[in-house]
Amino acid sequence: MLFISAFYYFSIWCILSGDPDTTMLITGFIASLTISYLVNRDTEQGKIKFLKFLQYSFWLTKEVSKSSLTTIKIILTGKIRPSFEKIEISNISELGHTIFDNSITLTRGPVCISDKNNNVLIHALHTDFLHDIKSGLLEHKMRETVK
């Protein structure tokens, strides 16, 4: 499982880095192994469900791609409607909060500004970016992944 996830992360690294040189490939390989090791360790400790985490990674990659295209469209058309939203999430671990917050920030458009007392303050480039967050889809996906 460690090498399967390392291959997945390394593939994403190569795709996103564009024109990789030797240094970028070595850095990506080391980063991919490190991430895979940490996920594997947390899986063994019962903090993360590995297969669900892998599914979550694929889903998040798709969401990042979709939101990138939407962000480009919003910027080019000038239809920027920024907004702030406070979302309440509860009964999740510190690791769950970290994954939730980073998932919001990874997708283009929304940014997690703060996470205090189970309230997450989010800034979005457009109100449409908040739909999956407000509907609870992101929280549901994250809860399936993290114990």
Side-chain angles (χ1 to χ4, degrees):
M1 288 293 201
L2 179 70
F3 292 108
I4 292 171
S5 64
F7 177 75
Y8 168 72
Y9 296 127
F10 184 67
S11 298
I12 296 296
W13 177 280
C14 289
I15 291 168
L16 295 178
S17 61
D19 188 21
D21 59 5
T22 306
T23 305
M24 288 295 287
L25 289 174
I26 292 170
T27 304
F29 181 74
I30 292 169
S32 300
L33 282 176
T34 303
I35 291 168
S36 296
Y37 167 75
L38 293 173
V39 168
N40 190 45
R41 182 196 66 188
D42 287 346
T43 301
E44 289 173 358
Q45 293 175 358
K47 294 179 183 177
I48 294 177
K49 302 171 195 163
F50 180 75
L51 291 177
K52 290 289 186 181
F53 184 77
L54 205 54
Q55 288 175 337
Y56 183 79
S57 296
F58 283 117
W59 175 81
L60 187 61
T61 301
K62 179 186 76 157
E63 292 301 311
V64 167
S65 300
K66 283 179 14 185
S67 64
S68 295
L69 293 173
T70 305
T71 300
I72 291 168
K73 179 182 164 190
I74 288 171
I75 291 171
L76 291 177
T77 59
K79 296 181 179 178
I80 298 172
R81 291 191 344 222
S83 66
F84 283 93
E85 188 76 35
K86 189 178 278 191
I87 307 289
E88 184 177 338
I89 57 171
S90 59
N91 299 324
I92 60 172
S93 65
E94 187 175 323
L95 178 62
H97 276 276
T98 301
I99 291 173
F100 184 79
D101 297 345
N102 286 333
S103 296
I104 290 170
T105 302
L106 275 173
T107 56
R108 309 298 189 262
V111 177
C112 180
I113 299 200
S114 74
D115 185 343
K116 294 181 182 173
N117 302 324
N118 294 324
N119 289 302
V120 180
L121 180 61
I122 301 165
H123 174 267
L125 186 63
H126 194 276
T127 55
D128 290 350
F129 283 122
L130 296 171
H131 181 267
D132 286 346
I133 300 166
K134 287 168 52 175
S135 72
L137 178 63
L138 179 60
E139 185 177 351
H140 173 73
K141 294 272 189 188
M142 185 272 313
R143 283 182 188 277
E144 287 181 337
T145 303
V146 180
K147 293 183 179 182

